[in-house]
Amino acid sequence: MWYRSDFSSDLVLTGPTASDAKTLGYALSLEGGQRFSLDENWSLTPQAQLLWSSVRGSQFQDQYQNVILTSQNNSLTARMGVSANYSTSRIETDKTSTRMQLGGVVNVYQDIKHGADYVTVADTSIGTGTLDPTWGEVGASGSYSWRDGKYTVLGKLTTVTGVNHFGKDRSISANLGFQVKW
């Protein structure tokens, strides 16, 4: 995917810091998992994933003609986890089905190879910081569908944190949705 960016700074009041900076980014992923039914409602799914991503920015100049070079950032991340799912359904009086699904997930992410943690400005490397190489994720999800799956309400909540700096490096995300099949 190609990106074009304009950079600005609150410290520089005379216009954009740089404009029309071009970047190419892509990702490839290989994922596998196997669902194991525990009974008619419960299942466990162990999962594993390898994710390769690359971001390469072109050289550009800021408004003071300093050459800025973002190094090629390649990363390889492994994910291992397990999800637990509960599912139930019933036939309503109008002969349509209603289904409810609840799930939880636990994942561990390991940075196997990370990209550069610097940017070069006027031949000087400036550190951009590093992230914890090992992350843990916990999440919960649910959905409720009716009228043979024509309408569905769904939601998901996850939190991710670095293992070495637990709670310092973190992310929390929530999604809520409504689907209609035509």
Side-chain angles (χ1 to χ4, degrees):
M1 176 174 279
W2 285 100
Y3 302 95
R4 284 192 174 173
S5 302
D6 294 331
F7 297 101
S8 62
S9 170
D10 292 338
L11 302 175
V12 179
L13 302 176
T14 59
T17 306
S19 60
D20 202 29
K22 296 173 184 70
T23 304
L24 172 65
Y26 61 91
L28 302 170
S29 176
L30 177 65
E31 182 177 0
Q34 176 64 47
R35 182 177 180 260
F36 295 99
S37 294
L38 302 177
D39 63 25
E40 66 181 32
N41 299 106
W42 285 96
S43 66
L44 286 177
T45 307
Q47 305 166 2
Q49 179 182 20
L50 280 175
L51 173 66
W52 171 265
S53 63
S54 179
V55 177
R56 183 177 57 232
S58 62
Q59 175 178 304
F60 61 95
Q61 290 183 327
D62 66 11
Q63 67 185 25
Y64 303 111
Q65 304 309 310
N66 291 311
V67 174
I68 299 172
L69 178 63
T70 56
S71 55
Q72 183 167 348
N73 288 290
N74 297 318
S75 68
L76 180 63
T77 303
R79 176 183 65 88
M80 294 192 68
V82 64
S83 67
N85 298 292
Y86 176 82
S87 179
T88 185
S89 63
R90 68 177 185 261
I91 303 298
E92 301 295 339
T93 56
D94 64 357
K95 307 287 190 229
T96 62
S97 66
T98 300
R99 182 177 180 142
M100 181 186 68
Q101 293 180 301
L102 299 173
V105 65
V106 175
N107 286 309
V108 175
Y109 295 85
Q110 180 62 50
D111 187 13
I112 297 170
K113 179 196 180 310
H114 66 279
D117 54 1
Y118 64 91
V119 62
T120 304
V121 178
D123 295 324
T124 303
S125 292
I126 300 171
T128 57
T130 58
L131 295 173
D132 197 331
T134 307
W135 290 71
E137 176 184 41
V138 176
S141 63
S143 69
Y144 182 81
S145 64
W146 64 98
R147 304 278 305 196
D148 292 329
K150 182 173 183 176
Y151 305 103
T152 304
V153 175
L154 50 105
K156 183 177 181 181
L157 177 66
T158 59
T159 183
V160 182
T161 185
V163 173
N164 294 331
H165 301 101
F166 189 81
K168 181 181 175 200
D169 298 329
R170 67 186 177 280
S171 169
I172 298 172
S173 67
N175 296 307
L176 185 61
F178 178 71
Q179 292 178 336
V180 178
K181 290 184 182 176
W182 304 101

